[in-house]
């Protein structure tokens, strides 16, 4: 068995900052544009997975929790279920991402994990749907986070595997679009199956399995014949770490993603309860209003995501879009703190949807641009996913703290003002990013990544 080729050390740069020669895609990652078939089925798989993974976070788990515990305890119990299970996502995504990076299989690196993960995901959500008590509910949702991230980590890594930089903004926009169209679909599923817990959880899971398997069959997942040296157990331990001193751009992007995700989940996790307690709606009325709000949010997001991704590719600038959209999202959260009517709730949803659309499109492209090593794409994206999963774990506790401030009862003003301040900090942490994009004579795009250490 031959040893893996050494990565060249570029002249005048440290080895850690150079254009790596990937074992799979060659120098600096893929150079040919991904086919329409790959891009389309990738987006469809993202949509299917996000419907099943985010429906519980958005509505379904709240409804299930209200079925198992008294109404006045449901918000706190639901937050605790989300927080505990998010720890499994935090660990699973980078670990499975690392394992997919080094998987030797004639079926490729990413495909086996996505294919088998989809089966486990359906089984997990079946357990959640049938859970007779809170402990079983927690166990089932933890398993769902584990198996769902066995799909998500390798799936997102295929963007780095398959998509060149000049196509990355528009393709990365699909992640944000499909994630939020998935939330919209989840809201409709909740309104259709609000009284049938089995269909509420299992129908989206089966749909996710079908779409992920379709992508597995279409994906040109190149196999590797030599397992990269990850440095044994010490190397596996560092699965959870990318040195921010050597890769400061990645570090700042990680921190920004963490802060905005925390702000977003403070909104998402408590939105249904907010509509019931502050706007004064019944459970069915709150679900219906949430569904319409998510529809408005998603329409705004789809328009601005595709536009933002397209513009960032052509303007060769990711930072200005990420900073501006994060700031507008913060404004939306602060307006929500003073919302008491359904029409105003819809206006806020439109503002936040438009802002988040630009953010998710361009920030995902920025993340892929600053990955330290294309061969470790899933591992490094897994480290980034800690910035997605950890806030979910913290949102319940942070939200409960903010809700408990001041007067008797739930303080939603403090909750959403706090979320807005956190989002502003997320915008500010993008300022130090030094990544630059340049267009070559042949029309391709390359990026220079600032490094230290």
């Amino acid at each position: 068995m031959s040893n893996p080729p050494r990565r060249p050390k570029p002249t005048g740069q440290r080895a850690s900052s150079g254009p790596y020669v990937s074992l799979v895609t060659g120098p600096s990652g893929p150079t040919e544009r991904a086919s329409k078939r790959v891009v389309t089925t990738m987006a469809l798989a993202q949509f299917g997975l996000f419907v099943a993974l985010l429906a519980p976070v958005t509505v379904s788990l709240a409804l299930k929790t209200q079925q198992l515990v008294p109404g006045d305890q449901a918000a706190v119990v639901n937050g605790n279920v989300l927080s505990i299970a998010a720890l499994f996502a935090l660990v699973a995504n980078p670990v499975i991402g690392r394992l997919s990076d080094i998987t030797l299989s004639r079926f490729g690196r990413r495909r086996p994990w996505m294919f088998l993960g989809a089966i486990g995901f359906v089984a997990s959500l079946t357990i959640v749907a049938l859970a007779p008590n809170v402990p079983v509910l927690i166990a089932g949702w933890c398993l769902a986070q584990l198996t769902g991230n066995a799909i998500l980590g390798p799936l997102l890594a295929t963007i780095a595997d398959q998509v060149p930089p000049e196509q990355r903004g528009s393709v990365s926009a699909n992640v944000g679009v499909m994630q939020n169209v998935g939330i919209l679909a989840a809201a409709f599923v909740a309104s259709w199956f609000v009284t049938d817990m089995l269909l509420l959880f299992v129908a989206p899971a089966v749909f996710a399995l079908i779409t992920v398997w379709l992508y597995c069959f279409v994906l040109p997942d190149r196999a590797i014949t030599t397992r990269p040296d990850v440095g044994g157990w010490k190397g596996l331990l560092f699965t959870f770490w990318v040195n921010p001193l050597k890769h400061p751009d990645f570090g700042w992007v990680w921190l920004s993603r963490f802060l905005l995700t925390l702000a977003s989940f403070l909104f998402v996790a408590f939105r249904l309860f907010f509509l019931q307690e502050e706007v004064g709606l019944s459970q069915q009325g709150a679900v219906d209003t949430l569904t319409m709000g998510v529809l408005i949010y998603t329409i705004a997001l789809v328009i601005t995501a595709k536009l933002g991704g397209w513009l960032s590719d052509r303007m060769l600038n990711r930072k200005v879009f990420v900073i501006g959209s994060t700031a507008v999202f913060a404004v939306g959260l602060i307006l929500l703190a003073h919302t008491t009517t359904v029409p105003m709730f819809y206006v806020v949803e439109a503002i936040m949807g438009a802002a988040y659309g630009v953010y998710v499109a361009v920030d995902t492209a920025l993340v892929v641009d600053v990955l330290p090593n294309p061969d470790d794409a899933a591992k490094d994206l897994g480290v980034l996913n800690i910035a997605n999963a950890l806030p979910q774990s913290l949102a319940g506790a942070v939200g409960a703290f903010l809700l408990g401030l001041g007067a008797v009862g739930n303080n939603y003003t403090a909750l959403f003002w706090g979320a807005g301040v956190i989002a502003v900090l997320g915008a500010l942490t993008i300022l130090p990013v030094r990544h630059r994009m340049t267009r070559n004579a042949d029309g391709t795009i390359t990026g220079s990544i600032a490094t230290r250490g």
Side-chain angles (χ1 to χ4, degrees), residues 292-314:
M292 179 57 68
V294 173
L295 174 61
I296 294 168
Y297 182 101
T298 304
I299 292 172
L301 181 144
V302 169
I303 295 171
T304 58
K306 300 303 289 185
L307 180 62
W310 180 81
L311 283 173
S312 76
D313 281 344
R314 278 146 186 80

Side-chain angles (χ1 to χ4, degrees), residues 395-418:
V398 174
F401 170 77
L402 292 173
L403 285 171
L405 293 177
V408 177
N410 290 330
N411 189 344
Y412 285 96
T413 300
L415 175 68
F416 294 130
W417 261 95

Side-chain angles (χ1 to χ4, degrees), residues 9 14 55 81 164 182 188 197 239 248 264 284 351 373 379 403:
K9 182 182 278 188
R14 299 178 185 274
V81 172
F188 278 104
M197 285 295 151
T239 289
S264 178
Q284 185 63 57
I351 293 171
N373 178 358
K379 175 262 185 187
L403 285 171

Side-chain angles (χ1 to χ4, degrees), residues 236-426:
L236 288 176
L237 181 62
F238 275 87
T239 289
F240 299 95
W241 176 250
V242 172
N243 191 333
L245 297 179
K246 289 185 178 180
H247 307 286
D249 281 358
F250 186 88
W252 286 117
V253 169
W254 188 99
L255 182 57
S256 176
R257 175 71 67 89
F258 171 87
L259 292 169
L260 189 66
T261 303
L262 178 57
S264 178
F265 268 88
L266 288 172
F267 163 63
V268 169
F270 294 94
R271 179 168 48 182
L272 182 66
F273 301 107
F274 168 77
L275 289 171
Q276 291 177 266
E277 297 177 24
E278 292 295 294
V279 184
L281 302 178
S282 65
Q283 183 184 81
Q284 185 63 57
V287 170
D288 292 341
T289 300
L290 187 148
T291 301
M292 179 57 68
V294 173
L295 174 61
I296 294 168
Y297 182 101
T298 304
I299 292 172
L301 181 144
V302 169
I303 295 171
T304 58
K306 300 303 289 185
L307 180 62
W310 180 81
L311 283 173
S312 76
D313 281 344
R314 278 146 186 80
M315 293 176 61
L316 305 183
N317 192 324
R318 312 284 194 211
K319 284 179 57 176
V320 65
F321 291 95
V322 175
I323 294 170
S325 61
T326 305
V328 174
F329 190 81
V331 171
L333 286 167
I334 293 170
L335 288 175
L336 188 65
H338 303 283
T339 295
T340 57
T341 66
V342 171
M344 186 59 188
F345 176 75
Y346 291 154
V347 171
V348 171
E349 288 273 10
I351 293 171
M352 294 176 66
Y356 203 68
V358 175
Y359 174 81
V360 292
V362 183
D363 187 67
T364 300
L366 178 61
V367 166
V368 177
D369 285 347
V370 301
L371 289 177
N373 178 358
D375 277 337
D376 291 338
K379 175 262 185 187
D380 293 336
L381 285 169
V383 172
L384 183 86
N385 193 63
I386 295 173
N388 293 327
L390 185 57
Q392 296 180 45
S393 181
L394 296 175
V398 174
F401 170 77
L402 292 173
L403 285 171
L405 293 177
V408 177
N410 290 330
N411 189 344
Y412 285 96
T413 300
L415 175 68
F416 294 130
W417 261 95
V421 171
I422 291 170
V424 169
L425 294 175

